Amino acid sequence: MTSTSAATPATPSEKDAECLALTRVLRRRGVLVLSVFALLWAAAAASGTGSATDVVPLCIEVAALLLTAAAIHLGYRKGATPSPRTVNLPAHWARGVGIVNTVELVAVFAVIAASNAAGRPEVVPAGIALVVGLHFFPLARLYDQWQYRWTASLLTAVAVAGFVLVAAGLASETVRVVVGLGSALVLWASSYHLALRG
């Protein structure tokens, strides 16, 4: 963990306690963010399976809520075992995270605008999944979470699969289901990994 500026240097035990506390905070924040965005992807997938009155989208949404709630419970439970290692954050990591997330947000809006302007709204889910996947590569270093590298790789693979389905001429609903569920599963897997393994 990077040291914080202080008038007097912290003792080793104080540094260890600070690192453990920050590791726990980042772990819990990761569980929350990953599982909530998995829920949003699952809702997007459910919207491609039929009308709101059909049983299939309802089942997907209920399952998504349960998976999300369980991940958050596991991540925030009091008896959670400490992470097997403390994070070793690079200098100015918080500013770096802010930059990466801002670029991601701008890129998502750019994907939506460009796809709609080109008359290809079916490309939006795959385009967003690609942006989200790619932004996990720098986050893996900034958060010192090696797991985010496979999160990035799997989301990118889901995005590529979505583009292939679009190129093959499949219905936009099918693309939304595949990309939505694929992205949700990747994010839930990452969330559960953080909750259970740190």
Side-chain angles (χ1 to χ4, degrees), residues 174-194:
T174 302
V175 176
R176 196 158 66 244
V177 170
V178 171
V179 174
L181 286 182
S183 298
L185 290 172
V186 170
L187 293 175
W188 274 319
S190 301
S191 178
Y192 276 89
H193 190 278
L194 274 182

Side-chain angles (χ1 to χ4, degrees), residues 7 15 27 33 36 54 63 72 85 92 101 103-105 107-108 110 142 153 173 183 193:
K15 286 183 179 179
R27 173 181 173 179
V33 171
V36 168
D54 291 342
I72 294 171
R85 67 177 185 87
H92 311 296
N101 287 336
V103 170
E104 178 206 20
L105 186 62
V108 164
L142 290 168
S153 300
E173 292 81 7
S183 298
H193 190 278

Side-chain angles (χ1 to χ4, degrees), residues 6 49 91 97 122 135 158 176:
T49 61
V97 168
E122 68 275 13
H135 106 291
V158 169
R176 196 158 66 244

Side-chain angles (χ1 to χ4, degrees), residues 16 19-28 31 74-75 77-88 143-147 193-198:
D16 291 343
C19 285
L20 285 171
L22 180 59
T23 298
R24 179 180 283 270
V25 167
L26 292 178
R27 173 181 173 179
R28 287 178 166 176
V31 169
L74 288 171
R77 72 195 189 283
K78 289 185 178 180
T81 56
S83 180
R85 67 177 185 87
T86 55
V87 292
N88 184 19
Y143 280 129
D144 187 30
Q145 290 288 350
W146 63 267
Q147 307 97 317
H193 190 278
L194 274 182
L196 297 172
R197 300 288 299 276

Side-chain angles (χ1 to χ4, degrees), residues 42-120:
S47 72
T49 61
S51 68
T53 58
D54 291 342
V55 69
V56 173
L58 179 61
C59 289
I60 292 173
E61 290 164 359
V62 170
L65 282 170
L66 292 174
L67 285 169
T68 300
I72 294 171
H73 170 73
L74 288 171
Y76 280 79
R77 72 195 189 283
K78 289 185 178 180
T81 56
S83 180
R85 67 177 185 87
T86 55
V87 292
N88 184 19
L89 302 173
H92 311 296
W93 67 272
R95 184 177 67 181
V97 168
I99 292 171
V100 169
N101 287 336
T102 300
V103 170
E104 178 206 20
L105 186 62
V106 170
V108 164
F109 281 112
V111 163
I112 295 170
S115 300
N116 288 332
R120 300 296 303 272

